[in-house]
Amino acid sequence: MSESTYRLAVIIGSTRDGRFGPTVANWFTTQVAQRDDIEIDVIDLADHPLPLSLTREPGEADAALLAQVTPRLERADAFVVITPEYNHSYPASIKSLIDWHYTQWQAKPVAFVSYGGLAGGLRSVEHLRPVFSELHAVTIRETISFHSPWGKFAEDGSLLDTEAGTAAAGAAKVMLDQLGWWALSLREARTNRPYGA
């Protein structure tokens, strides 16, 4: 990996049956694939169910579940959380992932892609910002949100409305450019001056 490339962990937050998250993730990873400055790792929380009960010392079974995710978060230089909006907030699966980890988020940037009804999942994003701030992460101002997206995506992950697709791709570029600046800058800072919280 070159100095100008960063490791991006994309977290698919919804674990519901019939969820729409993979469709949004497919669109987003297509945007990332067009760049040569990002090494992507998709973490689908539906494939990695984490224990809901937090313990100081996880048992053997819980430790095995965490071992599938924790090193991947540790390696990441930046994160994109793909989140729906459930009851004006984000799902428990995302909170569980966050709460099981601490140093893995520190001094790293986090961006958001949201989807939902009229609000497009933006209320879940605004609830996530102070949570990540508490963990010493930096949240990116620019977000991507899809309002009532059902039926608006083709099977290949593209948006059926060409104009909307162009606008969304432009928003993704701006967000990823900002994320890249923070990812590289903070990685350099962590390397030169280990972060202490």
Side-chain angles (χ1 to χ4, degrees):
M1 188 173 72
S2 73
E3 289 185 3
S4 60
T5 302
Y6 66 96
R7 296 184 186 94
L8 174 63
V10 175
I11 298 163
I12 305 176
S14 175
T15 59
R16 272 188 180 178
D17 290 340
R19 65 204 172 116
F20 197 72
T23 299
V24 176
N26 189 21
W27 173 84
F28 182 70
T29 56
T30 300
Q31 305 305 306
V32 174
Q34 298 173 32
R35 302 174 65 103
D36 58 7
D37 60 337
I38 301 172
E39 181 183 301
I40 191 171
D41 179 18
V42 178
I43 302 172
D44 188 341
L45 296 186
D47 296 333
H48 301 288
L50 297 178
L52 293 177
S53 297
L54 295 174
T55 58
R56 289 191 181 277
E57 296 296 329
E60 189 175 328
D62 290 351
L65 292 172
L66 290 164
Q68 298 175 30
V69 175
T70 303
R72 295 164 73 181
L73 299 180
E74 189 71 46
R75 281 192 300 269
D77 297 308
F79 306 96
V80 168
V81 178
I82 298 178
T83 180
E85 183 176 310
Y86 297 161
N87 302 317
H88 286 210
S89 197
Y90 54 89
S93 51
I94 293 177
K95 190 63 163 68
S96 181
L97 176 73
I98 292 169
D99 288 349
W100 272 109
H101 300 91
Y102 184 66
T103 59
Q104 292 80 11
W105 310 114
Q106 286 181 349
K108 295 180 182 180
V110 184
F112 304 98
V113 177
S114 66
Y115 60 96
L118 293 176
L122 291 173
R123 289 176 289 216
S124 61
V125 170
E126 292 312 309
H127 286 183
L128 280 165
R129 288 188 190 279
V131 175
F132 277 110
S133 177
E134 176 65 19
L135 293 165
H136 302 259
V138 177
T139 62
I140 303 304
R141 181 192 179 279
E142 298 299 325
T143 62
I144 302 165
S145 62
F146 293 103
H147 304 256
S148 302
W150 305 277
K152 295 181 179 178
F153 286 81
E155 287 185 19
D156 66 357
S158 63
L159 282 159
L160 295 172
D161 183 325
T162 305
E163 188 176 334
T166 301
K173 181 185 184 314
V174 171
M175 187 184 81
L176 289 169
D177 286 348
Q178 289 185 1
L179 191 64
W181 187 92
W182 281 101
L184 296 173
S185 298
L186 290 176
R187 183 175 70 193
E188 180 183 350
R190 290 193 312 273
T191 300
N192 295 329
R193 294 175 301 281
Y195 187 79

